[in-house]
Amino acid sequence: MKRKLIAAIGVAGMVFSVAACGGDEGDGKSTGADGYEGQTLTVWVMDGSSPDEWQKDLATEFEAKTKAKVAFEVQQWNGIQQKLTTALSEENPPDVFEVGNTQTPAYAKTGGLADLADLKSEIGGEWTESLNESSVFEGKQYAAPWFFANRVVLYNKKVWADAGLKDTPKTRDEFYDALKTIGDKTDAEPIYLPGQNWYHFVGLVIGEGGELVKKDGDTYVSNLDDPKVAAAAETYKKFQALSRAPKDKDEATPQQGEVFAKGETGAFIGMGWEAGIAIKANPEIEKEIGYFTIPGATADKPEGVFLGGSNLAVAAGSKKQDLAKEFLKIALSDKFEGELAKANGVIPNKESLQSNLKGNAPAEAAAPAAAVGGTTPLIPEWAAVENAPNPIKTYLTAVLNGKSPAEAAQQVEGEFNKRLAQEQ
């Protein structure tokens, strides 16, 4: 998944014109002793999501069980929203497809996704609740959680040792104190935290139990003036004050992994794969990189995190919905969920399967926060909010430049609400 997962969690500009299609399941029902012999199930997966060997093993088991074949078609993230929207409105859509978790509600609203309540009842009893939330729209199960990832703290072991730090922190205050110690006892930048790392801010809001939007009658509007959101902004500001990073740039401008690669930074908050950026820029840094879960307010609960990832859905217009569900039973089984977690270092849809991450340091650091994580608002109206210039980024920069959270919220409220009100 690597960088491609970020494309899945950065939802923007989706066209919502999928026609509601009635699914004729006749062709997809079992033909008796021969199962679904002679049928081929079309499955769209995104580039980088599932290894070739995983697909091969799954296809073999699927054919042995159903007598049907599966045709995996690998898609590119660039342009996928429009391509999938068009495909779901046509007569022969892909039967099963991968969809970004925050994109799922938009497709569900259009009627493009089949109801998977029966599948949830049969195999989803142990799905981690926080991971399954994006598969549910208006109380109905329109997808199944597949795999996920979230941010961790990547730190420089040498810098921490130079500061006399022997243990990684378990609480937010301990984390702050450790960074402060780095600033006091070394020449290193304690943490590289640009002012617009807004996905981390979303995690802080989740940790506070806050929401970025609220309902005003039948319309969603900004909730940035909520005290819980303000508390998250104050936490962000406190930590950002220990950083030399620009207040008006995000984590990709410049790539924070490249900054970390110079060996002059104590830590940064990012995806585990960002270590690869640092190592590419400076191979010597690899031996110094460590990982730990972002500490929360108390030691018994990690910080809230944004959960990015993918769900698997069945097209409402598929004529092979029964066969598609047989595929999902196998793909989402402990065997194949576990193998995917082990191969790609992603968080599986059950906490009981996290043992497959053992030995993968960034994945092990990410896993504890999955159960307390969340996403951006799971509403179709959210897509336009993330278009540049993202008003949440503007809000963060305003807070960091001295405005109160309330003043910053008021500054962006008009644009925020305008985007939420755009026609879908």
Side-chain angles (χ1 to χ4, degrees):
M1 36 94 67
K2 302 292 182 184
R3 293 286 300 280
K4 302 175 182 67
L5 181 57
I6 298 304
I9 63 182
V11 184
M14 188 183 294
V15 179
F16 308 119
S17 59
V18 181
C21 302
D24 177 5
E25 300 182 22
D27 292 345
K29 292 186 177 180
S30 175
T31 56
D34 293 329
Y36 301 86
E37 190 169 6
Q39 298 188 37
T40 298
L41 195 76
T42 300
V43 178
W44 281 14
V45 291
M46 303 308 300
D47 184 25
S49 291
S50 54
D52 291 344
E53 195 66 25
W54 185 89
Q55 293 182 20
K56 180 181 177 181
D57 291 346
L58 177 52
T60 298
E61 188 157 325
F62 176 73
E63 184 171 357
K65 179 181 178 182
T66 65
K67 308 300 182 184
K69 296 185 181 301
V70 57
F72 286 101
E73 297 183 5
V74 177
Q75 306 297 318
Q76 302 301 314
W77 284 112
N78 186 30
I80 187 58
Q81 289 103 337
Q82 182 60 60
K83 183 174 183 179
L84 182 56
T85 297
T86 300
L88 293 178
S89 68
E90 294 177 341
E91 185 175 349
N92 293 303
D95 301 296
V96 177
F97 54 92
E98 175 184 351
V99 59
N101 60 337
T102 58
Q103 298 170 355
T104 304
Y107 290 111
K109 182 179 181 179
T110 64
L113 309 185
D115 189 334
L116 300 182
D118 53 347
L119 186 77
K120 171 65 166 63
S121 298
E122 186 172 350
I123 68 170
E126 295 181 14
W127 289 344
T128 303
E129 184 176 354
S130 60
L131 304 182
N132 187 53
E133 285 180 356
S134 64
S135 293
V136 178
F137 180 68
E138 295 183 344
K140 293 185 178 181
Q141 189 82 31
Y142 283 109
W146 191 20
F147 66 83
F148 303 85
N150 54 262
R151 284 159 178 77
V152 299
V153 180
L154 296 88
Y155 73 104
N156 186 314
K157 296 176 183 178
K158 183 179 184 303
V159 170
W160 283 56
D162 289 346
L165 298 168
K166 298 180 179 180
D167 299 313
T168 55
K170 299 298 185 289
T171 68
R172 188 187 297 160
D173 286 344
E174 289 179 4
F175 186 24
Y176 181 82
D177 289 344
L179 297 175
K180 187 74 165 51
T181 298
I182 291 172
D184 292 341
K185 295 188 176 182
T186 76
D187 293 328
E189 178 180 24
I191 184 171
Y192 185 82
L193 181 60
Q196 297 184 346
N197 188 341
W198 79 283
Y199 278 119
H200 175 51
F201 171 67
V202 170
L204 295 176
V205 173
I206 292 166
E208 294 288 346
E211 298 284 351
L212 295 172
V213 300
K214 61 185 177 183
K215 254 313 189 44
D216 181 13
D218 294 330
T219 305
Y220 285 101
V221 297
S222 169
N223 195 41
L224 292 181
D225 60 355
D226 184 85
K228 294 178 180 178
V229 177
E234 294 290 1
T235 296
Y236 195 101
K237 182 177 181 179
K238 179 179 179 180
F239 279 82
Q240 207 281 328
L242 298 175
S243 177
R244 301 168 195 160
K247 295 179 172 61
D248 61 349
K249 303 294 182 183
D250 63 20
E251 68 276 14
T253 316
Q255 286 288 346
Q256 58 186 0
E258 294 178 351
V259 176
F260 185 77
K262 298 174 183 178
E264 301 169 356
T265 302
F268 73 96
I269 294 170
M271 306 297 288
W273 57 258
E274 290 182 77
I277 296 175
I279 295 167
K280 182 178 180 180
N282 175 19
E284 292 298 314
I285 199 73
E286 183 172 9
K287 65 181 181 297
E288 304 296 350
I289 301 177
Y291 310 84
F292 59 86
T293 308
I294 304 174
T298 58
D300 62 334
K301 184 179 180 182
E303 186 59 85
V305 291
F306 174 81
L307 295 167
S310 289
N311 299 324
L312 290 175
V314 175
S318 168
K319 298 178 176 64
K320 303 171 184 174
Q321 290 188 19
D322 284 350
L323 183 58
K325 291 173 184 177
E326 292 300 321
F327 172 85
L328 291 179
K329 290 174 188 177
I330 300 172
L332 299 170
S333 67
D334 288 1
K335 174 183 176 180
F336 285 97
E337 273 285 300
E339 288 182 0
L340 187 66
K342 187 176 296 184
N344 281 3
V346 291
I347 297 170
N349 59 21
K350 296 180 183 179
E351 288 186 53
S352 61
L353 296 177
Q354 290 180 5
S355 58
N356 290 279
L357 302 175
K358 188 174 182 179
N360 185 321
E364 286 187 288
V372 297
T375 67
T376 48
L378 293 169
I379 55 174
E381 293 87 347
W382 180 258
V385 175
E386 296 189 21
N387 291 336
N390 185 328
I392 299 179
K393 291 184 176 182
T394 305
Y395 165 85
L396 283 172
T397 297
V399 170
L400 297 177
N401 283 332
K403 288 196 173 184
S404 70
E407 291 170 332
Q410 186 175 17
Q411 175 183 327
V412 303
E413 183 179 74
E415 179 63 22
F416 200 138
N417 291 343
K418 177 182 176 182
R419 296 182 184 207
L420 288 170
Q422 287 182 13
E423 291 293 327
Q424 305 302 315

